Amino acid sequence: MDKKNALRAGALAAGTTLMMLLMSSPASALTRDDGDDPGQGLSVIETLGLFVAAPLVLYLVIHGLVTIADKTHKKKDPTSSNITTKAEAKSEVKA
């Protein structure tokens, strides 16, 4: 990719990002819509539990299940568990 194409790609990405930022107006989030009835906010403990602890626990459960499934597969693998090698090879060379 030459410099001209890289410059075009960068300009396109920057222009697209700028237009997306201009079209979305985060300031309108401060005004309430009709019928908007937000509930109580989350505490720090609830937020950490919901967005940090719950995904970590879910990841660990999935990782554990995959690891258990992988270990049972290794026990049944006939190609690598039946191979035996001779460690002591003797050769007789007569000169």
Side-chain angles (χ1 to χ4, degrees):
M1 190 170 184
D2 59 350
K3 290 181 182 181
K4 193 181 268 189
N5 284 342
L7 186 62
R8 281 185 191 154
L12 181 67
T16 305
T17 304
L18 181 64
M19 289 304 294
M20 289 174 69
L21 286 173
L22 290 175
M23 295 302 285
S24 65
S25 56
S28 66
L30 296 176
T31 60
R32 294 271 169 87
D33 291 331
D34 290 336
D36 190 16
D37 188 22
Q40 294 280 338
L42 296 175
S43 69
V44 175
I45 303 287
E46 291 171 337
T47 304
L48 288 175
L50 188 61
F51 294 107
V52 176
L56 282 175
V57 168
L58 187 62
Y59 170 77
L60 291 174
V61 166
I62 293 172
H63 179 73
L65 291 173
V66 169
T67 304
I68 289 170
D70 190 34
K71 285 184 179 177
T72 58
H73 173 69
K74 286 181 182 177
K75 289 179 183 177
K76 295 177 184 177
D77 190 12
T79 58
S80 63
S81 61
N82 294 340
I83 297 174
T84 57
T85 59
K86 294 181 180 178
E88 299 178 19
K90 297 179 182 178
S91 64
E92 296 179 15
V93 178
K94 296 181 180 179

